[in-house]
Each structure stands twice: as structure tokens, then as C-alpha cells.
Amino acid sequence: MNHDVLRIQGGTALTGQVSASGSKNAALPILAASILADQPVRIGRVPRLSDVVVMQRLLAELGVSNRWTADGWLELETVALNAVQARYQLVRQMRASFCVLGPLLARRQRAIVSLPGGCNIGPRPVDLHLAGLAQLGAEIRIHRGYVWAQADRLRGARIDLSGRHGSTVTGTANVLSAAVLAQGETWLTGAACEPEIVDLGRFLIALGAQIEGLGTSTLHIRGVEQLGGTSYQVIPDRIEAATLLVAGAITAGRVTVSHMAPKHVHQVLNALDEAGCQLQIDTDRVTLKGPTRPRPLQIVTGPYPAIPTDVQAQLMALCTLADGTSQVCETVFPQRFQHAAELARLGAVVEQQENLATVRGRPTLHGATVQATDLRASAALVLAGLAADGQTTVQKIAHLDRGYEAMDEKLSRLSGHVRRCLDNQPAVNRKLNRASTSDQ
Ligand code: UD1
């Protein structure tokens, strides 16, 4: 993990325009699904992130050569079919590595994939992934921390993917990616409706898969014998776009985020509107003017189209400065509140009871040294630091680099005073060292 920190001089209203990068959570399962393709694949708008670097390494180990083109596309091609093992060392760095399980099983008949293990945002089981693949006819056993899966040819089935906390996003990605090469028809109910799953589905269709129902909780898949290649561009990152808009809101600034998909963050925009932001929403951009002081919010996270759990921490940061008491109910990962204790170091008042946090808004936050505990928590701390008086140092910024493409540069472009430094060293303009560990 790199030891960069971000030093933030708070108190400046952010102004200007930045564009959203491509979606991390769409790109990762799409890259994993390139294992299914029999012809070369070109993926556009893949964000340059440490999570993507981990996926590139993993794919290279699995015999999928990959390289960036001069015009910024990622070209992938299967050059060897015999490797089927995703090592713990890589999977522990990034849970989304588990998305290679379905594609390996479907295309290579065998997969040995490390269980992802623990995670900072609460329990992250993979039982639904495994049950779904087993229903497609895979023989699955767990041995010494690895999932061993095999099937000569998967068979279509009726599979219910709903879990206790709703649908599973990467579970849907795994089972969908496997079912496209299964013999016969598969009906997936309780499937995730997230835009990232729709994007994966469109990519698979571009390869030759037959899928109906994308964007709904029931997917109908007709298995095909083989898939070809394609050129495909991933959707904009809705979580990054939302984070940048909250940055405008929390600093009482005026920010335009371009190259985004406003329809994918509809509920977040509603929340920002309720907080008193003025919004101008166009097809592919949003301009936000933040209020002098936000109004309190009632936030309930949930599967799409509800407010994403991945924006909960950032919205909580906004609520810490609200003129009144807000409530944040986390229904997807009930224990995902590590950021609350760090926000408290900046003066925030947050009380937590099970999956409900009560945030008593304060007029100001005060700069301090805080530590990022996970990807979105780190974004929340950066946002709070931008709004706080004085200097905030956010440690363990490698978490941020996992999922945000050049966030510090984008914030600087919006006139935020954000510098990347080596911990305990004077500020230097360092290029990103994007190798880190991850959990989302
Ligand atoms: C994905 C996202 C992550 C986001 C999350 C929820 C990627 C790479 N990551 O994670 O950023 O926060 O969706 O939108 O896309 N569950 C089970 N059994 C399973 C799988 C999940 O019970 O087999 C539960 C989880 O504990 C959780 C809920 O289902 O309570 C949703 O998790 P899931 O959608 O699977 O999250 P990820 O796909 O891991």
C-alpha cells in the first residue's frame, strides 16, 4: 500500500467544471468477463485506478493479455486457456477479483478462486454467487480458503439471487457471466438492477450473448455456444459524479460535473435538492450551487434506484454541517459507519444505533488528522476536510486511489486546496502510486 496522505486546506468554495471518469464498478466485471471472449476486446473509458491495475494483473496471470492503447483504451485478448487460479494475494487486494469465477467456469470449465476474506465495511459473504453457480450445474467445494468450481458444460436453470439485504451486484455479475455460455435458458430472479449490471449485460450482448430484462430484477438468458469480440465503452461513474457534486454542496460552491449520467443518480440529486442545493440537470451534466448551510436530510440507502450505500458516507459528511438533525439508515451494509468516528475528529456529532446514524449538524468542522478506513469513507473525509476550518490531513489515501481517478487533481481543478504528500514529509507533487489494498 502506498503511504500518501492528502493535506487539505479547507474553507474554499469549490467552483468550476470537471468530468466524471468511467465507472469502476462497471469496468471491473466487464474486464473479468473478457475471459469469455474468443476474439480480442477493446474497452473504452476504463478509469486509471489501483483496482483496475489489480484486475489487469489478475487477467494477465489468467492468460488474458492486456495493454493500454495510445488513445486510452484497454485491449484484451486471451492468449492461454490453461490458467484457472485467482490467487489470494490478488483477490485480497480487491474483492471484485471474485468476478472472474463465473467467466472462468463458463469458458474454461474450471476455476480456483480465493475467497475474498474480511472487509472493512462489514460482512461480505459470497454464498449467493456460489449457490447460483451450483444451480447452473457447477460442482463447488471450498478447500483451504479457495473456491474450487468445475462443470463440463453449465446448464440453464431458474435461479433466485435475492438475499437478506436485497440483490447482490457482483453475485449477479458472476452468475450472469456464467449463464451466457450455459446450455439452454436461464431465468435469474432477484437480480441486481444497478446500471453497472446493465452495462455488463450490454457488453455481453455486444460479444454475442442473448440477454433480456436488463435493468429489471428478472433476467432471461439464452445460452450460446461461444462469444466473439467487441469494442465497448463503460458508463460514467455515478458514485464519483455524486461525490464531486457533494463536494460542491458541502463547500457552498458552484460545481458542474460533465460526462455523467444524471439519471443514474436521481435519488442522490433529490437528496441534494432537499438539502437546499440549486440544481441544473441536463442530459449528461449537472450544475450544482450549494446552500450557505445545508438543510438536514433523511437518508435511506438501498439497492438501485435508492440512494447507493457507496454515497452514504459522503452524504453523512454533508449532514454534519446541516442546520438540524439528520438520520442516515444503512440497509445494504448495516455496519458501514467507520467514517463516523473519523468525522467526529473534525467535530462532527454522530450517534449510531445499529444501522441508524443520527447526525446533529454543527455550524463548522475543524481541521484535524484523520484516517481513511475504506474507499468511500476516505471520500467522505476529503469532503469534510474541504469544508473544515484550517488544515486536514487524510491518511491512508491509498483507499481513495482504489476507486477515484485523480480525485486530488479534479478537486484542485475546482480550486480546492488539496495536496498529495508522503506521510511525515513536506508537500510534494507526487504522481499516484496506485498499488493498494481494497474491499469494495
Ligand atoms: C457491490 C459494489 C460495492 C457496493 C455494493 C452494494 C462492486 C465491485 N462493488 O459490492 O461498491 O457497495 O455492490 O451496492 O461493484 N450478500 C449476501 N450474499 C452474497 C452476496 C451479498 O448476503 O453472496 C449481501 C451483502 O452482505 C450485502 C448485500 O448482499 O448486505 C449487497 O452486497 P453486494 O451487492 O453483493 O455487494 P458487492 O457486489 O460485493
Side-chain angles (χ1 to χ4, degrees):
M1 182 182 290
N2 74 49
H3 295 287
D4 289 359
V5 304
L6 280 193
R7 294 234 162 83
I8 302 164
Q9 192 64 37
T12 303
L14 297 194
T15 49
Q17 180 179 324
V18 278
S19 41
S21 297
S23 163
K24 166 181 95 74
N25 286 354
L28 292 171
I30 286 175
L31 293 176
S34 69
I35 289 171
L36 295 164
D38 279 357
Q39 302 291 325
V41 159
R42 272 165 56 89
I43 313 290
R45 223 176 167 183
V46 178
R48 305 277 188 135
L49 308 168
S50 62
D51 274 10
V52 168
V53 173
V54 173
M55 183 58 82
Q56 286 180 271
R57 274 190 209 138
L58 177 57
L59 289 173
E61 288 193 7
L62 291 171
V64 181
S65 73
N66 56 84
R67 64 170 197 97
W68 293 100
T69 64
D71 54 352
W73 287 61
L74 198 52
E75 278 184 352
L76 304 108
E77 182 174 8
T78 297
V79 290
L81 283 166
N82 49 348
V84 292
Q85 179 162 357
R87 291 184 295 128
Y88 175 63
Q89 278 314 320
L90 288 176
V91 180
R92 67 172 268 280
Q93 288 183 48
M94 180 185 68
R95 293 184 62 84
S97 307
F98 202 68
C99 289
V100 299
L101 176 61
L104 282 176
L105 183 61
R107 180 64 188 84
R108 303 186 187 179
Q109 290 77 48
R110 230 158 64 85
I112 307 168
V113 178
S114 168
L115 283 165
C119 160
N120 289 345
I121 65 174
R124 305 279 292 271
V126 289
D127 55 313
L128 298 168
H129 302 230
L130 301 186
L133 295 172
Q135 285 174 76
L136 288 175
E139 212 179 285
I140 293 182
R141 65 192 174 97
I142 312 267
H143 182 60
R144 293 179 187 264
Y146 280 80
V147 175
W148 294 62
Q150 66 174 52
D152 287 341
R153 175 90 198 259
L154 296 170
R155 290 183 314 274
R158 288 183 177 269
I159 300 168
D160 182 18
L161 277 178
S162 20
R164 212 156 53 90
H165 296 288
S167 53
T168 162
V169 177
T170 50
T172 303
N174 250 330
V175 179
L176 171 63
S177 301
V180 291
L181 283 182
Q183 192 168 27
E185 297 183 32
T186 297
W187 292 88
L188 282 186
T189 54
C193 305
E194 268 67 7
E196 294 77 12
I197 292 297
V198 175
D199 211 33
L200 169 66
R202 289 197 178 132
F203 167 70
L204 293 169
I205 290 169
L207 291 179
Q210 295 190 13
I211 304 166
E212 285 164 13
L214 287 171
T216 74
S217 59
T218 302
L219 300 179
H220 179 205
I221 302 133
R222 287 190 186 82
V224 295
E225 291 296 320
Q226 64 178 55
L227 297 169
T230 192
S231 277
Y232 190 84
Q233 271 200 298
V234 300
I235 52 169
D237 195 312
R238 64 191 168 111
I239 308 299
E240 185 210 22
T243 303
L244 290 164
L245 289 170
V246 179
I250 201 170
T251 60
R254 187 188 168 84
V255 164
T256 299
V257 180
S258 63
H259 297 88
M260 63 172 285
K263 61 181 182 204
H264 291 164
V265 285
H266 185 67
Q267 296 291 9
V268 176
L269 295 178
N270 279 350
L272 291 171
D273 179 50
E274 274 169 40
C277 300
Q278 287 172 31
L279 296 162
Q280 189 189 321
I281 303 168
D282 298 313
T283 330
D284 70 342
R285 65 179 50 214
V286 173
T287 298
L288 172 145
K289 186 171 177 311
T292 319
R293 189 155 178 212
R295 290 198 287 263
L297 292 173
Q298 303 292 317
I299 293 163
V300 182
T301 65
Y304 190 80
I307 290 184
T309 172
D310 286 352
V311 188
Q312 181 253 108
Q314 300 88 314
L315 288 172
M316 183 188 283
L318 181 66
C319 293
T320 64
L321 285 166
D323 189 7
T325 300
S326 303
Q327 290 204 304
V328 180
C329 178
E330 172 57 64
T331 74
V332 181
F333 295 113
Q335 297 172 31
R336 189 178 200 173
F337 284 124
Q338 279 87 343
H339 42 279
E342 294 300 305
L343 287 170
R345 293 182 53 73
L346 300 174
V349 182
V350 184
E351 291 150 26
Q352 189 199 329
Q353 231 184 358
E354 296 179 349
N355 70 332
L356 188 69
T358 303
V359 187
R360 298 189 199 287
R362 302 280 309 270
T364 46
L365 296 175
H366 303 290
T369 297
V370 290
Q371 198 167 93
T373 51
D374 67 70
L375 166 54
R376 308 303 172 187
S378 61
L381 296 173
V382 171
L383 298 182
L386 286 166
D389 288 343
Q391 182 171 283
T392 294
T393 301
V394 184
Q395 296 177 332
K396 298 211 173 168
I397 210 67
H399 287 293
L400 189 80
D401 295 339
R402 285 189 34 228
Y404 288 97
E405 185 173 60
M407 179 53 100
D408 46 338
E409 288 165 29
K410 289 192 185 187
L411 293 172
S412 298
R413 226 173 296 146
L414 294 172
S415 321
H417 298 291
V418 177
R419 284 173 309 162
R420 179 176 291 265
C421 319
L422 256 184
D423 206 0
N424 300 324
Q425 305 259 320
V428 281
N429 272 333
R430 287 161 36 83
K431 274 281 156 207
L432 295 183
N433 167 7
R434 295 177 195 275
S436 64
T437 54
S438 95
D439 49 30
Q440 277 174 61

